[in-house]
Amino acid sequence: TNMGLHTLDDSRIQLNFNITMMDLPCEYSTVDVFSSIGFQKNVTRNIRKFPVSDDGVLQRYEQRNWHQDDVELWDPAVFETIDDLHQDGEDAISLNEETFEYALREFPFLFVKFYTSDCSNCDDFAPTWEALGEIVTDASMSIVDAFMKEKGIGDNQYSEEEYEQAVNFMAPVLVTKVNCNKHPKICLDQKIRLYPTMRIFVNGNAKGDYDGHRTVMELVHWVSHIEAENREPGQLRMHLVERFANERTVRNEVEQEWNDALTEHRAPRTRNITRHPG
């Protein structure tokens, strides 16, 4: 398209447009601008892309570009350290060879982070992933509590271990992690080549690797999309996780100050990013 400006007082201009291409994946679509004197600039990194389903329905999670270096590698809304988040236990469950196979068999929706202990990107992302695990646990507990209330089940009728098992069983998605330094066979079998890799399994089969912004809400929206493709409408539960995620990522002034300080501390790190932001 063409547009002309007679005068421009601001140093920036915002151009809003909406183009839908049904047969072109988001990562392959690029946008260039050309001036009247032949100057060309690629502005793809400033364009927000959202995929559409086969029926043309707009999805809520953002897609990214190959060789795009502006992907958020951790959620700035999560300012707690991994030690802070682990004070009440780990909600993103660590798996080994035996428990990984068990989780594949027993849990219809399994979200796994494959990582290494010597990866700086993995360290930065760890609090975000643990926060996602906590949010899913909170949503699962609300489901279990509502079920027990409906059935008239009292607190004295089950053990703490039984309650924890019920929470994991009722989770819309089980959030887990595999340390590839400790369990290389799992990662070799799964052909993991980049760290961290976030892979979702549905009924034991890999359904895709997440490569968008590594924020809690983007992760939740992506899993919601996977759930909608693989569960009947009456069985959808990720909307509960979305509600808890919204509550978790909204901060008051004090928390925002801590968050800004953490963002400034993390920002200067330079990374060599190719196809994958890991």
Side-chain angles (χ1 to χ4, degrees), residues 182-199:
K182 295 181 178 179
H183 310 290
K185 186 179 185 303
I186 299 177
C187 303
L188 184 63
D189 291 344
Q190 291 295 320
K191 297 180 173 61
I192 303 299
R193 298 182 178 88
L194 302 165
Y195 304 105
T197 290
M198 288 71 72
R199 179 169 295 173

Side-chain angles (χ1 to χ4, degrees), residues 124-183:
D124 286 343
F125 182 57
T128 301
W129 191 254
E130 180 63 22
L132 175 66
E134 286 190 358
I135 289 166
V136 171
T137 297
D138 290 341
S140 303
M141 290 174 64
S142 72
I143 295 173
V144 173
D145 292 346
F147 176 81
M148 292 193 302
K149 183 177 180 180
E150 179 184 348
K151 299 298 182 180
I153 302 174
D155 294 346
N156 60 344
Q157 295 180 254
Y158 57 88
S159 67
E160 186 174 328
E161 182 179 355
E162 289 173 330
Y163 181 78
E164 183 177 344
Q165 291 175 347
V167 168
N168 288 335
F169 179 77
M170 295 298 290
V173 59
L174 190 67
V175 179
T176 64
K177 56 190 177 185
V178 171
N179 187 329
C180 293
N181 291 127
K182 295 181 178 179
H183 310 290

Side-chain angles (χ1 to χ4, degrees), residues 2-278:
N2 297 318
M3 66 174 298
L5 291 173
H6 294 291
T7 60
L8 180 62
D9 297 328
D10 296 326
S11 59
R12 297 183 179 182
I13 181 172
Q14 176 177 314
L15 177 62
N16 298 321
F17 62 92
N18 187 351
I19 301 173
T20 301
M21 294 174 283
M22 293 295 296
D23 298 319
L24 182 66
C26 287
E27 60 262 31
Y28 293 114
S29 58
T30 63
V31 179
D32 291 77
V33 294
F34 299 83
S35 72
S36 59
I37 59 175
F39 175 76
Q40 176 186 356
K41 183 178 181 181
N42 185 283
V43 295
T44 305
R45 63 178 296 172
N46 299 315
I47 306 301
R48 300 183 68 190
K49 301 177 182 180
F50 294 85
V52 294
S53 67
D54 293 338
D55 299 325
V57 178
L58 182 68
Q59 307 302 310
R60 289 176 295 175
Y61 64 94
E62 288 193 54
Q63 281 283 31
R64 56 158 297 195
N65 310 302
W66 284 18
H67 305 290
Q68 180 175 312
D69 60 0
D70 60 346
V71 174
E72 291 191 53
L73 301 182
W74 41 271
D75 194 336
V78 180
F79 64 85
E80 299 95 335
T81 67
I82 193 65
D83 291 335
D84 292 337
L85 294 166
H86 283 170
Q87 285 184 359
D88 58 350
E90 295 187 16
D91 288 277
I93 302 170
S94 295
L95 300 178
N96 55 30
E97 284 79 359
E98 182 180 353
T99 55
F100 177 72
E101 293 299 326
Y102 173 82
L104 285 176
R105 292 193 309 268
E106 298 298 325
F107 295 92
F109 283 77
L110 179 68
F111 205 8
V112 185
K113 179 188 72 171
F114 297 92
Y115 72 102
T116 63
S117 53
D118 54 357
C119 163
S120 61
N121 286 343
C122 300
D123 292 340
D124 286 343
F125 182 57
T128 301
W129 191 254
E130 180 63 22
L132 175 66
E134 286 190 358
I135 289 166
V136 171
T137 297
D138 290 341
S140 303
M141 290 174 64
S142 72
I143 295 173
V144 173
D145 292 346
F147 176 81
M148 292 193 302
K149 183 177 180 180
E150 179 184 348
K151 299 298 182 180
I153 302 174
D155 294 346
N156 60 344
Q157 295 180 254
Y158 57 88
S159 67
E160 186 174 328
E161 182 179 355
E162 289 173 330
Y163 181 78
E164 183 177 344
Q165 291 175 347
V167 168
N168 288 335
F169 179 77
M170 295 298 290
V173 59
L174 190 67
V175 179
T176 64
K177 56 190 177 185
V178 171
N179 187 329
C180 293
N181 291 127
K182 295 181 178 179
H183 310 290
K185 186 179 185 303
I186 299 177
C187 303
L188 184 63
D189 291 344
Q190 291 295 320
K191 297 180 173 61
I192 303 299
R193 298 182 178 88
L194 302 165
Y195 304 105
T197 290
M198 288 71 72
R199 179 169 295 173
I200 194 165
F201 298 84
V202 178
N203 296 322
N205 299 312
K207 282 295 182 180
D209 294 349
Y210 180 78
D211 63 356
H213 290 298
R214 295 176 188 169
T215 62
V216 169
M217 288 308 304
E218 287 291 330
L219 288 161
V220 169
H221 287 160
W222 186 72
V223 177
S224 296
H225 166 73
I226 300 296
E227 181 191 48
E229 288 185 336
N230 294 276
R231 270 189 177 136
E232 295 298 325
Q235 299 177 337
L236 300 180
R237 286 176 282 174
M238 280 301 297
H239 62 282
L240 294 173
V241 179
E242 291 184 19
R243 176 166 60 85
F244 280 90
N246 268 317
E247 295 173 357
R248 174 66 178 270
T249 54
V250 174
R251 302 297 187 184
N252 59 40
E253 285 188 19
V254 175
E255 292 173 333
Q256 190 62 46
E257 288 180 6
W258 279 96
N259 180 41
D260 292 342
L262 179 63
T263 300
E264 184 178 353
H265 171 72
R266 286 174 168 173
R269 183 172 299 176
T270 301
R271 298 176 174 85
N272 179 18
I273 299 172
T274 53
R275 179 193 179 278
H276 192 283

